[in-house]
Amino acid sequence: MPIRPQLDATSDTPLYRQLSDYIRDLILTGRLSKGDRLPATRELAGTLGLNRSTVSAAYAALEESGFVQGHVGRGSFVAWVPSEQQIARQLDDTISFATSRPSEELFPLDEFRASVEEVIARSDVGHILQLGSPYGYPPLRRYLMQQARAAGLAPDDDEIVITNGCQQALDLLQRVLLRAGDSVVVEDPVYPGLKNLFEHAGARLLGVPMTAEGLDLRHLARVLERETPKMIVVTPNFQNPTGATLPLEQRRTLLRMAQEARMLVVENDTYGDLRYAGTPVQNLKQIAPEQVVLLRTFSKVSFPGLRVGWVIGPRALLARLAEAKQWTDLHSDHLSQAVMLRFAESGRLELHRRRILRVGGEQLAAVLAACRSYLPPGSKWTQPQGGMNLWVRLPDMVDAAGLLERAQRERVSYLPGRFFEVSRPEPSSLRLSFAGLPPDRITAGMAILGRIFASEVERVKAGGSFDPAPAMV
Amino acid sequence: MPIRPQLDATSDTPLYRQLSDYIRDLILTGRLSKGDRLPATRELAGTLGLNRSTVSAAYAALEESGFVQGHVGRGSFVAWVPSEQQIARQLDDTISFATSRPSEELFPLDEFRASVEEVIARSDVGHILQLGSPYGYPPLRRYLMQQARAAGLAPDDDEIVITNGCQQALDLLQRVLLRAGDSVVVEDPVYPGLKNLFEHAGARLLGVPMTAEGLDLRHLARVLERETPKMIVVTPNFQNPTGATLPLEQRRTLLRMAQEARMLVVENDTYGDLRYAGTPVQNLKQIAPEQVVLLRTFSKVSFPGLRVGWVIGPRALLARLAEAKQWTDLHSDHLSQAVMLRFAESGRLELHRRRILRVGGEQLAAVLAACRSYLPPGSKWTQPQGGMNLWVRLPDMVDAAGLLERAQRERVSYLPGRFFEVSRPEPSSLRLSFAGLPPDRITAGMAILGRIFASEVERVKAGGSFDPAPAMV
């Protein structure tokens, strides 16, 4: 059986995990049998164009879960083939806390369809189909700027550029502002799409720890004593992965510190529209409009498959972003820009957002209640008031990554903390993304996780050896 | 009157030109009056966040066209305000040979609308609205791969990644394959979107001259004697800007040379579907499937405002492109991918392409006939059999960039050769993009250009000073 995975480096799953999942499925579907020999790591790495360490990590994960056994000098062999019942369960849908995205079941399809109908019925639809400006579709830009001006999010001298979601806004910013070796302040833990992007660009990431109340500003002060970072990227509302929100006073302090350090402030406000409880806090951009570059998106509050986000900031910087946008892909897709404009200006977006807020509040209540009920004593977790994620720290001796395979065998998944770490490993931490699941599934999944985590705590306390999985992310 | 242009760095218009157009419009619409003083170049550059040389180039263009006059030590002043009649004419639509894009009037709107209707009527439309794979929308990928396999354009080990047009495919390739200082072979003259992208990435461009029969392979051989480029980007069919097509035997030679030099071949086949005359030539990818990375797009044959292109190449390289795609913008917009799939698999794309081929043949015949009728003796031009562009070389003493402002006053525009040059200036050359205009407008525009060019030849021959505009692109 040749090993030929489609390595879709999807948004949240590392390559080693995809490879191990693929091989696991070959076993589960009978295409690899007990005793079959896997290719040597070096050989498979060569065939697939991967690092050998990625293949090794995949094999290690398969060993950890019992599917594969390694024999020094002889190679790795399929060791365990589950029963048919076990296989059926394994191939069912898992309860996934792994991805920070809205539930497909909540998409307002009729409202989406109506918006599309209205766009294509227009007599000037040909204009949408023609090549356009790297700044974006002018009617959408006007609409978003009016909204931003009304909310105090865009001073007169600001400009807007439409991007393919916030991810592209981050990419354009690094292309225009960063040279290899430049340093950037980021949250630690942080959204992996930011970490991977900036690291690949050759930036030096200065991770500042997250507290339950957002960025640790005393730590930031110490960083700024010895470093001169070009910019800071901060997610003040419902940060991914922790769900933490920075209080108003700390926002003011952060802005003062950034100004003194002559460090550009990039406010990633991906989750700001999704507050389920508590009182809204002013955006950094509202507090210091001239000092902040603001990133927003329709993705989290409506349809992530339509790639429409935007960046608002000083005109001269935005002219450079638009230039980079042109090199990258000329401009963002017009059809989705026009559809999102119609969805928003028709009022449908706001109606949908209210529905999402109601459901999100139920999801959040369910996950917090389940944390209290099921997590083993000594666990801690954040108390977000919105967004899609919360952060769990299990008792210190528990390795969250090492337990993932066991959780997946029981059809529950999450992302271990190491996936998000910048420079401070937290092996006992994990992210729970709750926005994609109905409350009863949240409760069911948490009950399973709680049992697995608690039994691990018992095992370690009983003197069982503590055997962390290799660091592979 | 504050000078506050919206500098949309649109696909084909350089910044200096946008600025000069903007100021010209302020004059034409009466918002700047004769005698008004323009800001100092340094000051305006600061306000707009531009290089001073860009502002200087804009002022030089305005001087060249008589709108503005510079006085050493005192600044630049509005010198000429045209009559109302002249203004009305000026603000009318120009006959633009400047952009390599299809005519909006030919867009098959009903077929587009039907494709959209069919996509949004599906019960699984929610899936399109959800986050997806960086490789692209799976049904579109399958469709394109089947087509490519059937055409001998994708060996078994190839993979496909959907990109936001060919521009993004080029960007992903440079991100994955090039390091600062790496050299790349490109055509000279070349598509400016490629030149700007690669230069900004720090690549060293090795320009190989274009002949009427495509790339000059003897020149390439000399380059390969002294350089070890990482890759070559070549457009064998109807190259932009020249319209030239590389004959079959030369394609084979090029592939052999590239193989010996261990240089990756990137075949940019943006225009390959648009052959109006003559016999199709095998693609590089068909001749040497394992050796070539192929870039294609729906943009030129259908709707450039929907940003859907793709790249086909070896699996291991494509896995790296997909990884880079994920950093860049997660994945391409799903709605347009689904719509283009429906447009293609319904047969509507092919019907539309046939119509475009018929019209394109008429456009091409019109522009070639007009070249014969109107261009001054001593002019040369390419004889494309497809695509959207041809290349004109006027008699040596004529500066094509210097005459553009005069042409624009007479409501005709084109792009001068300097916009496309890599390292060999051709001041007397220009690109004519004919695909956006009906045949009668092509003829009318060419008559005007021919008159302007011929009068310049007369003027120079009569001993008038030859005063080239400053090199500003």
Side-chain angles (χ1 to χ4, degrees), chain A residues 74-87:
Chain A
R74 291 174 48 218
S76 296
F77 296 83
V78 176
W80 174 61
V81 176
S83 71
E84 264 184 51
Q85 252 184 336
Q86 286 168 313
I87 288 174

Side-chain angles (χ1 to χ4, degrees), chain B residues 178-201:
Chain B
L178 299 184
R179 297 292 158 261
D182 281 351
S183 58
V184 180
V185 176
V186 298
E187 299 144 336
D188 187 3
V190 74
Y191 165 57
L194 172 64
K195 184 176 76 165
N196 295 336
L197 171 68
F198 279 32
E199 276 179 351
H200 186 80

Side-chain angles (χ1 to χ4, degrees), chain A residues 190-199 205 418-421:
Chain A
V190 75
Y191 164 57
L194 172 64
K195 184 177 77 167
N196 294 336
L197 171 68
F198 279 31
E199 275 179 352
L205 298 192
R418 59 172 54 155
F419 201 41
F420 306 92
E421 79 189 32

Side-chain angles (χ1 to χ4, degrees), chain A residues 235-394:
Chain A
T235 312
N237 294 321
F238 322 124
Q239 191 250 6
N240 178 6
T242 63
T245 289
L246 193 67
L248 181 61
E249 201 42 49
Q250 279 87 319
R251 294 185 190 211
R252 293 212 179 94
T253 307
L254 170 62
L255 287 165
R256 274 196 304 274
M257 291 167 73
Q259 191 160 38
E260 277 165 30
R262 300 170 154 277
M263 170 175 76
L264 179 69
V265 177
V266 176
E267 178 175 30
N268 181 353
D269 196 30
T270 301
Y271 297 97
D273 277 336
L274 298 175
R275 172 175 283 279
Y276 315 129
T279 319
V281 188
Q282 276 195 303
N283 274 79
L284 295 174
K285 182 74 174 166
Q286 285 167 318
I287 303 170
E290 325 278 344
Q291 195 189 338
V292 175
V293 175
L294 176 68
L295 315 188
R296 306 204 81 193
T297 179
F298 289 124
S299 298
K300 300 296 175 179
V301 73
S302 57
F303 313 118
L306 308 196
R307 310 290 309 132
V308 186
W310 61 97
V311 47
I312 294 178
R315 192 176 298 269
L317 172 61
L318 276 268
R320 296 175 65 198
L321 294 183
E323 197 183 3
K325 172 76 180 160
Q326 187 171 22
W327 301 325
T328 305
D329 60 4
L330 302 186
H331 62 79
S332 286
D333 191 274
H334 273 167
L335 179 57
S336 284
Q337 289 186 71
V339 168
M340 287 314 304
L341 170 60
R342 194 63 210 125
F343 188 68
E345 68 180 4
S346 63
R348 294 177 188 121
L349 173 64
E350 183 53 25
L351 285 175
H352 175 60
R353 191 174 78 94
R354 286 187 208 160
R355 182 158 162 252
I356 287 289
L357 292 185
R358 207 168 53 241
V359 176
E362 293 163 10
Q363 293 167 322
L364 179 61
V367 75
L368 288 173
C371 284
R372 284 191 299 273
S373 302
Y374 300 119
L375 290 181
S379 304
K380 292 176 184 168
W381 57 92
T382 52
Q383 304 280 335
Q385 297 188 315
M388 299 187 161
N389 304 289
L390 66 76
W391 189 248
V392 173
R393 191 171 297 157
L394 297 170

